């Protein structure tokens, strides 16, 4: 069985998605719809921004979302089919669209509310993030809990990779501890301490902004796996609350992959910029197929 995965913030790069809509011009309509709802030119943001400009939360989130969606739609035109979806952090919103939980218009309305709320929270509470490698997740969590300044383990990506978030002072403090432990610490290209308590004001604003959005049941035959629960999500009665909580909750991606594998999925196709999730899948699971589709070249090389 096949699952579609979707990239998160930090994977963005200028020009992502461009050759897809050049080879499939009809998919340019996705950029048009997004631009109208955002009130900004998504093509200019995605294709003409510098790397620094694109890294801004209000730019990165809609740009990565759009690139992920056009990659999926281009693959679908060539015969790609899937039985489940999952995304990493921001990628969960492309997954909502892919599962039929949100319409294209509504996913842009939701991401507009999310990126603006998170951008404002990041301005109110300065924060940053880093990936810690070669240290067990429990040790990462323990070091963060003991730090003088605020730091927290927020993305559990694999047994050997955990992302931390916190104040600049907190991340600097624990980074020194991890380096003494011979760990590798890599700063991330993000503008705030996402999935941490520093995003609480964003959670509150987002909840209010999306209270009237229609979150539907997934399309028949499609499973949706959640970062917050780390497993298949089945109770959609309070879905706006779940997605609000998603902003301040850890991403339980390791648990998610374990649940997906136990449910019998053996083919993982990542859509959107980069191949971070493809790498995580290959390191975490055995006897599976995993590859990414991020441009016309990788699309042409895929077989469905």
């Amino acid at each position: 069985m096949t699952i579609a995965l979707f990239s998160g913030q930090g994977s963005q790069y200028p020009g992502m998605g461009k050759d897809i809509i050049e080879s499939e011009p009809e998919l340019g309509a996705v950029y048009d719809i997004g631009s109208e709802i955002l009130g900004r030119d998504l093509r200019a943001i995605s294709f003409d921004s510098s790397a620094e400009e694109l890294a801004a939360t209000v730019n990165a989130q809609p740009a990565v979302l759009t690139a992920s969606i056009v990659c999926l739609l281009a693959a679908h035109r060539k015969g790609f089919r899937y039985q489940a979806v999952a995304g990493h952090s921001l990628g969960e919103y492309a997954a909502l669209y892919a599962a039929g939980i949100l319409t294209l218009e509504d996913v842009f309305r939701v991401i507009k509310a999310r990126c603006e709320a998170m951008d404002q929270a990041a301005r109110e509470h300065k924060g940053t993030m880093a990936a810690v490698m070669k240290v067990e997740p429990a040790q990462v969590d323990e070091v963060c809990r003991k730090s003088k300044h605020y730091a927290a383990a927020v993305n559990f990506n694999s047994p050997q990779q955990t992302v931390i978030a916190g104040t600049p002072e907190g991340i600097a403090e624990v980074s020194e501890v991890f380096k003494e432990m011979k760990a590798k610490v890599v700063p991330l290209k993000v503008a705030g301490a996402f999935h941490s308590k520093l995003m609480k004001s964003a959670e509150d604003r987002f909840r209010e902004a999306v209270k009237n959005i229609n979150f539907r049941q997934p399309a028949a035959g499609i499973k949706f796996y959640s970062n917050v629960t780390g497993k298949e999500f089945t109770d959609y009665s309070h879905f706006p609350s779940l997605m609000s909580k998603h902003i301040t909750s850890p991403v339980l991606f390791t648990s998610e992959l374990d649940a997906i594998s136990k449910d019998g999925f053996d083919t993982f196709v990542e859509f959107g910029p980069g191949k971070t999730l493809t790498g995580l899948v290959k390191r975490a699971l055995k006897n599976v197929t995993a590859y990414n589709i991020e441009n016309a070249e990788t699309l042409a090389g895929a077989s469905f």
Side-chain angles (χ1 to χ4, degrees):
M1 293 194 295
T2 299
I3 183 166
L5 303 178
F6 298 94
S7 312
Q9 190 171 346
S11 62
Q12 70 277 347
Y13 55 82
M16 57 184 177
K18 186 175 182 179
D19 66 348
I20 291 286
I21 63 169
E22 287 176 344
S23 61
E24 302 276 354
E26 298 88 349
L27 296 180
V30 177
Y31 283 86
D32 297 335
I33 291 168
S35 296
E36 182 177 353
I37 291 170
L38 290 169
R40 296 185 293 137
D41 187 344
L42 260 178
R43 282 186 175 86
I45 292 169
S46 302
F47 308 149
D48 302 330
S49 296
S50 66
E52 183 178 1
E53 291 168 336
L54 190 57
T57 299
V58 292
N59 294 331
Q61 292 196 11
V64 171
L65 171 74
T66 310
S68 300
I69 289 174
V70 296
C71 287
L72 173 70
L73 294 177
H76 194 270
R77 286 178 163 216
K78 295 183 180 298
F80 175 72
R81 299 294 183 267
Y82 51 97
Q83 293 76 47
V85 299
H88 189 286
S89 188
L90 165 67
E92 199 155 278
Y93 289 82
L96 292 176
Y97 168 74
I101 295 170
L102 288 175
T103 65
L104 184 61
E105 291 79 6
D106 277 345
V107 79
F108 278 116
R109 293 184 183 103
V110 167
I111 212 64
K112 181 177 189 293
R114 185 180 192 263
C115 71
E116 290 176 355
M118 292 176 70
D119 180 67
Q120 186 171 344
R123 294 175 189 276
E124 294 168 349
H125 305 286
K126 294 297 181 183
T128 189
M129 303 177 75
V132 181
M133 286 164 274
K134 301 181 181 179
V135 179
E136 293 290 330
Q139 289 181 287
V140 175
D141 187 52
E142 182 180 2
V143 169
C144 289
R145 290 179 184 277
K146 291 180 177 179
S147 62
K148 179 180 177 181
H149 300 95
Y150 176 65
V154 296
N155 291 359
F156 295 89
N157 292 338
S158 79
Q160 291 296 310
Q161 185 191 111
T162 304
V163 172
I164 57 175
T167 63
E169 298 83 2
I171 298 303
E173 178 187 345
V174 298
S175 292
E176 289 304 312
V177 176
F178 292 130
K179 289 174 183 177
E180 291 174 3
M181 298 169 65
K182 308 301 182 184
K184 183 178 180 181
V185 181
V186 181
L188 299 187
K189 298 182 292 182
V190 294
F194 304 145
H195 297 287
S196 79
K197 70 179 185 180
L198 297 183
M199 288 286 114
K200 183 62 172 68
S201 62
E203 176 186 341
D204 296 338
R205 292 188 188 101
F206 180 79
R207 181 182 292 106
E208 179 64 22
V210 303
K211 65 182 181 182
N212 294 322
I213 295 288
N214 181 23
F215 290 85
R216 302 174 296 186
Q217 294 281 336
I222 303 293
K223 294 176 180 286
F224 176 85
Y225 289 85
S226 165
N227 290 170
V228 175
T229 65
K231 58 185 179 181
E232 181 189 357
F233 195 75
T234 55
D235 180 7
Y236 292 86
S237 58
H238 302 290
F239 205 70
S241 294
L242 175 82
M243 298 313 296
S244 301
K245 185 179 178 183
H246 182 261
I247 291 174
T248 55
S249 296
V251 173
L252 304 179
F253 198 68
T254 304
S255 299
E256 225 172 317
L257 286 183
D258 185 55
I260 292 165
S261 177
K262 287 179 178 177
D263 285 346
F265 290 90
D266 56 8
T267 301
F268 296 73
V269 185
E270 177 182 3
F271 294 93
K275 48 187 176 182
T276 297
L277 304 188
T278 302
L280 292 176
V281 169
K282 288 180 176 180
R283 287 191 290 273
L285 303 176
K286 296 180 180 179
N287 302 316
V288 300
T289 299
Y291 57 93
N292 72 310
I293 294 176
E294 62 176 316
N295 51 33
E297 180 182 358
T298 49
L299 177 62
S303 57
F304 308 127

